[in-house]
PDB file of all heavy atoms in Angstrom:
ATOM      1  N   SER U1563     -58.423  56.274 163.760  1.00  0.00           N
ATOM      2  CA  SER U1563     -58.414  57.129 162.694  1.00  0.00           C
ATOM      3  C   SER U1563     -58.685  58.582 163.173  1.00  0.00           C
ATOM      4  O   SER U1563     -59.389  58.752 164.180  1.00  0.00           O
ATOM      5  CB  SER U1563     -59.463  56.753 161.686  1.00  0.00           C
ATOM      6  OG  SER U1563     -60.786  56.845 162.195  1.00  0.00           O
ATOM      7  N   LEU U1564     -58.059  59.565 162.471  1.00  0.00           N
ATOM      8  CA  LEU U1564     -58.009  60.973 162.884  1.00  0.00           C
ATOM      9  C   LEU U1564     -58.598  61.723 161.678  1.00  0.00           C
ATOM     10  O   LEU U1564     -58.435  61.337 160.601  1.00  0.00           O
ATOM     11  CB  LEU U1564     -56.662  61.469 163.307  1.00  0.00           C
ATOM     12  CG  LEU U1564     -55.955  60.603 164.343  1.00  0.00           C
ATOM     13  CD1 LEU U1564     -54.603  61.138 164.489  1.00  0.00           C
ATOM     14  CD2 LEU U1564     -56.635  60.774 165.710  1.00  0.00           C
ATOM     15  N   ASN U1565     -59.243  62.860 162.102  1.00  0.00           N
ATOM     16  CA  ASN U1565     -59.756  63.778 160.954  1.00  0.00           C
ATOM     17  C   ASN U1565     -59.653  65.154 161.383  1.00  0.00           C
ATOM     18  O   ASN U1565     -59.626  65.515 162.614  1.00  0.00           O
ATOM     19  CB  ASN U1565     -61.226  63.427 160.553  1.00  0.00           C
ATOM     20  CG  ASN U1565     -62.224  63.584 161.643  1.00  0.00           C
ATOM     21  OD1 ASN U1565     -62.472  64.704 162.011  1.00  0.00           O
ATOM     22  ND2 ASN U1565     -62.709  62.480 162.179  1.00  0.00           N
ATOM     23  N   ALA U1566     -59.540  66.012 160.482  1.00  0.00           N
ATOM     24  CA  ALA U1566     -59.450  67.475 160.691  1.00  0.00           C
ATOM     25  C   ALA U1566     -60.133  68.308 159.609  1.00  0.00           C
ATOM     26  O   ALA U1566     -60.114  67.794 158.385  1.00  0.00           O
ATOM     27  CB  ALA U1566     -58.009  67.951 160.927  1.00  0.00           C
ATOM     28  N   GLU U1567     -60.585  69.502 159.856  1.00  0.00           N
ATOM     29  CA  GLU U1567     -61.172  70.307 158.784  1.00  0.00           C
ATOM     30  C   GLU U1567     -60.874  71.813 159.094  1.00  0.00           C
ATOM     31  O   GLU U1567     -61.038  72.167 160.218  1.00  0.00           O
ATOM     32  CB  GLU U1567     -62.770  70.127 158.833  1.00  0.00           C
ATOM     33  CG  GLU U1567     -63.464  70.952 157.829  1.00  0.00           C
ATOM     34  CD  GLU U1567     -65.000  70.760 157.786  1.00  0.00           C
ATOM     35  OE1 GLU U1567     -65.533  70.201 158.715  1.00  0.00           O
ATOM     36  OE2 GLU U1567     -65.588  71.205 156.785  1.00  0.00           O
ATOM     37  N   LEU U1568     -60.695  72.529 157.924  1.00  0.00           N
ATOM     38  CA  LEU U1568     -60.599  73.949 158.018  1.00  0.00           C
ATOM     39  C   LEU U1568     -61.581  74.399 156.896  1.00  0.00           C
ATOM     40  O   LEU U1568     -61.625  73.844 155.765  1.00  0.00           O
ATOM     41  CB  LEU U1568     -59.247  74.402 157.569  1.00  0.00           C
ATOM     42  CG  LEU U1568     -58.145  74.296 158.574  1.00  0.00           C
ATOM     43  CD1 LEU U1568     -56.803  74.662 158.009  1.00  0.00           C
ATOM     44  CD2 LEU U1568     -58.407  75.100 159.899  1.00  0.00           C
ATOM     45  N   ARG U1569     -62.439  75.392 157.201  1.00  0.00           N
ATOM     46  CA  ARG U1569     -63.450  75.868 156.295  1.00  0.00           C
ATOM     47  C   ARG U1569     -63.729  77.341 156.499  1.00  0.00           C
ATOM     48  O   ARG U1569     -63.782  77.762 157.604  1.00  0.00           O
ATOM     49  CB  ARG U1569     -64.728  75.082 156.387  1.00  0.00           C
ATOM     50  CG  ARG U1569     -65.864  75.611 155.550  1.00  0.00           C
ATOM     51  CD  ARG U1569     -66.979  74.596 155.309  1.00  0.00           C
ATOM     52  NE  ARG U1569     -66.542  73.271 154.919  1.00  0.00           N
ATOM     53  CZ  ARG U1569     -66.186  72.933 153.608  1.00  0.00           C
ATOM     54  NH1 ARG U1569     -66.246  73.895 152.711  1.00  0.00           N
ATOM     55  NH2 ARG U1569     -65.736  71.705 153.308  1.00  0.00           N
ATOM     56  N   THR U1570     -64.052  78.088 155.555  1.00  0.00           N
ATOM     57  CA  THR U1570     -64.455  79.484 155.610  1.00  0.00           C
ATOM     58  C   THR U1570     -65.664  79.630 154.596  1.00  0.00           C
ATOM     59  O   THR U1570     -65.720  79.017 153.546  1.00  0.00           O
ATOM     60  CB  THR U1570     -63.425  80.517 155.253  1.00  0.00           C
ATOM     61  OG1 THR U1570     -63.970  81.825 155.608  1.00  0.00           O
ATOM     62  CG2 THR U1570     -62.924  80.559 153.904  1.00  0.00           C
TER      63      THR U1570
END
Side-chain angles (χ1 to χ4, degrees):
S1563 61
L1564 306 172
N1565 63 71
E1567 177 179 16
L1568 289 173
R1569 176 164 307 282
T1570 187

